[in-house]
Amino acid sequence: MSSTTDASAGRAEITARTLRTDRWWLPPLVTFAGLSAWVLYATVRAFLQRDYFVAEYNYLTPFYSPCASVGCVEQAAHFGRILPDVWWLPYAAFTLPFLLLFRLTCYYYRKAYYRSFWLSPPACAVAEPHRRYSGETRYPLLAQNLHRYFFYAAAIISLINTYDAVLAFGKADGSFGLGLGNVIIVVNVVFLWAYTISCHSCRSIIGGRLNHFSKHPLRYKSWQFVSRLNTKHMQLAWITLGTLALTDFYIMAVAAGWISDLRIVG
Ligand code: FES
C-alpha cells in the first residue's frame, strides 16, 4: 500500500506550520475573545449576589434561577431556600454547574474551544502545537460522552426558566403586567429551548433506536423538526449566549435602578 494512505505516515514533510495564506487565525481568535468575555461576565454576575430580581414585576435573571439560597429574596425563591448564604456559593448553585457542563460538553462548543483555546488544531491544514493527540479516547476528555445526561438536566432547567417567564407576567400585587422585560425574558426562553432541542443528543434520543420511522410517525415528525433546528446549532449556541447576557443585564439594570422597565400593560 502506498505510504500516502498509511495513517502512521502523519503530516506531510514541510517545515512551515501551514501553507495557508488567508487569515485562518481570525475565527479562533474571535471565538477565544467572545467565549472569554462571556465566561468572565457570567462568573462575576453569578457571584455578585445582588440585582438579580425585580420584585415589582417578578423578573428573575436566569443566572439566579432557581434562587435556592437563604440569601435570596423570598419572592424570588420559587422552589425554596436551602443553600447557605456564603459568598463563594452562587444563589443558583443547583443549576449553574449542570448548565456549564451541558455547554462544555456540547458538540459545537467542543469544536470551538478545542480550536481556539487548545489550538488542537486552530484551523484546517494548520499544525497543532501539541506533540501527541489522543482525542476523546481517554480521561478526562472521555467524559465528554456524558453530554446526553447533561441534556436531560438542561431540559429540566429550561422548564424552570419557562416557569419563571410565566410568573413574570404577574406583578407583585397579583395583577397582570407586560413590559419590555417580559419580552426579553420570553425571547431568551424561546432561544434556550431552540438551543436545547437542537442538541445532537436530543436528535439521537428522538430518532434513535428505531428500525422503521413509518411505524412511529410522531417521532419521525419530531426528528425532522429537531434535525432542521440542529443545522442551526452553532448559531443558536452563540445567540443564547447573547440572549442570556442581555436578559441578565437588563434585569440587573432595572433592579439596580439604572433604568426603568418600559411598560406596555400595567
Ligand atoms: S450538542 Fe450542543 S447542546 Fe448537545
Side-chain angles (χ1 to χ4, degrees):
M1 184 180 285
S2 153
S3 62
T4 54
T5 56
D6 182 354
S8 64
R11 188 169 180 257
E13 293 287 327
I14 55 171
T15 49
R17 190 169 167 216
T18 182
L19 297 179
R20 286 181 66 169
T21 54
D22 61 333
R23 289 189 293 175
W24 57 264
W25 44 267
L26 191 58
L29 182 64
V30 170
T31 305
F32 176 83
L35 288 181
S36 300
W38 195 90
V39 167
L40 186 66
Y41 174 82
T43 306
V44 169
R45 277 297 288 146
F47 286 94
L48 208 54
Q49 301 181 344
R50 52 176 291 185
D51 301 329
Y52 56 88
F53 184 62
V54 180
E56 189 178 359
Y57 307 130
N58 265 322
Y59 293 164
L60 176 65
T61 161
F63 288 1
Y64 284 72
S65 176
C67 210
S69 163
V70 294
C72 294
V73 179
E74 191 177 354
Q75 225 181 314
H78 305 138
F79 298 91
R81 295 181 290 181
I82 304 163
L83 298 170
D85 184 11
V86 283
W87 68 266
W88 47 265
L89 197 61
Y91 284 1
F94 279 133
T95 47
L96 292 184
F98 290 103
L99 287 179
L100 180 67
L101 288 167
F102 181 53
R103 298 236 173 195
L104 267 183
T105 58
C106 163
Y107 291 23
Y108 165 66
Y109 286 112
R110 285 190 225 177
K111 173 190 156 189
Y113 64 79
Y114 287 167
R115 287 194 169 190
S116 51
F117 285 78
W118 291 0
L119 311 176
S120 182
C124 292
V126 181
E128 61 177 295
H130 312 284
R131 287 237 178 95
R132 289 182 345 144
Y133 176 79
S134 60
E136 296 175 346
T137 58
R138 297 188 195 162
Y139 284 104
L141 292 185
L142 191 60
Q144 302 278 31
N145 289 305
L146 295 174
H147 181 65
R148 75 198 72 171
Y149 302 108
F150 300 134
F151 161 75
Y152 291 120
I156 293 169
I157 296 166
S158 291
L159 279 175
I160 295 172
N161 291 145
T162 307
Y163 181 68
D164 292 339
V166 172
L167 283 188
F169 287 103
K171 292 168 58 182
D173 63 7
S175 63
F176 174 80
L178 175 63
L180 180 58
N182 293 99
V183 176
I184 291 174
I185 290 170
V186 168
V187 167
N188 178 51
V189 166
V190 169
F191 276 114
L192 283 181
W193 273 117
Y195 170 69
T196 306
I197 65 175
S198 69
C199 166
H200 293 65
S201 293
C202 174
R203 184 169 173 266
S204 135
I205 289 164
I206 288 183
R209 294 177 179 269
L210 292 180
N211 288 331
H212 306 284
F213 266 139
S214 56
K215 291 188 180 151
H216 304 273
L218 200 59
R219 284 184 67 181
Y220 181 51
K221 281 272 170 228
S222 311
W223 177 80
Q224 280 184 312
F225 175 69
V226 166
S227 296
R228 273 198 297 275
L229 266 185
N230 180 259
T231 62
K232 303 274 181 254
H233 194 59
M234 179 183 80
Q235 289 90 330
L236 289 166
W238 280 102
I239 289 170
T240 46
L241 290 186
T243 59
L244 277 166
L246 174 71
T247 307
D248 176 75
F249 188 81
Y250 184 83
I251 292 174
M252 174 172 67
V254 176
W258 302 339
I259 57 170
S260 303
D261 185 34
L262 183 68
R263 301 305 293 169
I264 302 164
V265 178

